[in-house]
Amino acid sequence: MLTLRILKTDFRIGFGFLLVTAVSFLEPNGVTGTCLFFCFAHEFGHLLAMKLVGARVAAIRFYGGGIGISADTEDLSKPARLLIYIAGCLTNLTFVLLFYIIGEDMASAVNLAIALFNLMPVSYFDGGMILRLILPNREKQLEILSKITITALLFIFFASALNAQAGISVSQIVTLFAIIASELIDREV
């Protein structure tokens, strides 16, 4: 992972992110590039909320599974932290509505997928952070819910991959591989 320090913020770029970016340029229908663009928009929503409540951004990490922002939030109020956690998904849901109104179905669907994906009750996604904030002292139950969610998603993916009519492209398989590898390799413990 490459790390650059700019204005007291660490920018970390993982090799999985570079792979996903390269694959997005090779894909003929541009879905991966569209997803990447709206992932940036999602994180910009978080950044805007952080600036609004006065949180200091410590690190911005680009990895195969997306983009993650770390901020110093422990001194913030519960509503301020909740605003930060939900801001990315609200950004995507705003785009869903906007693109639905103007008839851009792919952009609308991509934003809906990003919002729903980030709202999953997985510990390090927005949904998991929100649940941890509104349900304190429930770490064991939230970790079990997180594992069930990940297991169900993996089952759905592999079941659809086995289905001959699923139509999974090579770029989607490479992207999934990069995401899984990034979660296993680039992820900070």
Side-chain angles (χ1 to χ4, degrees):
M1 185 169 285
L2 174 67
T3 302
L4 304 169
R5 187 156 181 82
I6 303 170
L7 300 174
K8 298 182 183 178
T9 302
D10 287 339
F11 288 83
R12 299 179 183 132
I13 304 169
F15 297 108
F17 179 79
L18 298 174
L19 178 62
V20 169
T21 303
V23 167
S24 73
F25 287 111
L26 300 174
E27 188 176 47
N29 62 9
V31 174
T32 305
T34 302
C35 289
L36 196 56
F37 176 79
F38 288 116
C39 283
F40 276 106
H42 176 96
E43 296 304 323
F44 183 76
H46 288 303
L47 276 174
L48 193 60
M50 287 174 196
K51 291 299 178 188
L52 185 66
V53 299
R56 187 186 81 75
V57 177
I60 300 175
R61 188 169 62 102
F62 302 88
Y63 65 111
I67 305 159
I69 300 175
S70 303
D72 299 328
T73 60
E74 59 272 350
D75 294 335
L76 297 176
S77 68
K78 201 175 193 177
R81 286 184 284 158
L82 188 59
L83 176 65
I84 291 170
Y85 298 148
I86 197 81
C89 294
L90 289 176
T91 301
N92 291 117
L93 292 173
T94 302
F95 280 130
V96 167
L97 184 60
L98 174 71
F99 286 113
Y100 179 78
I101 290 170
I102 63 173
E104 292 291 334
D105 294 339
M106 185 176 83
S108 184
V110 164
N111 276 287
L112 182 61
I114 292 170
L116 293 176
F117 185 78
N118 278 283
L119 285 172
M120 288 190 309
V122 176
S123 60
Y124 50 88
F125 288 169
D126 299 336
M129 304 286 249
I130 292 166
L131 283 176
R132 213 174 318 134
L133 187 64
I134 62 176
L135 298 173
N137 304 319
R138 303 268 186 186
E139 288 296 321
K140 185 71 172 166
Q141 293 90 339
L142 293 175
E143 192 59 36
I144 291 169
L145 181 59
S146 178
K147 288 179 182 179
I148 290 170
T149 302
I150 291 170
T151 302
L153 288 172
L154 288 172
F155 175 78
I156 290 167
F157 174 78
F158 287 115
S160 64
L162 292 174
N163 181 355
Q165 297 176 358
I168 296 175
S169 71
V170 173
S171 66
Q172 289 168 328
I173 292 169
V174 170
T175 301
L176 178 68
F177 174 75
I179 290 169
I180 291 170
S182 291
E183 290 301 320
L184 297 174
I185 298 166
D186 287 343
R187 187 172 147 84
E188 295 173 0
V189 180

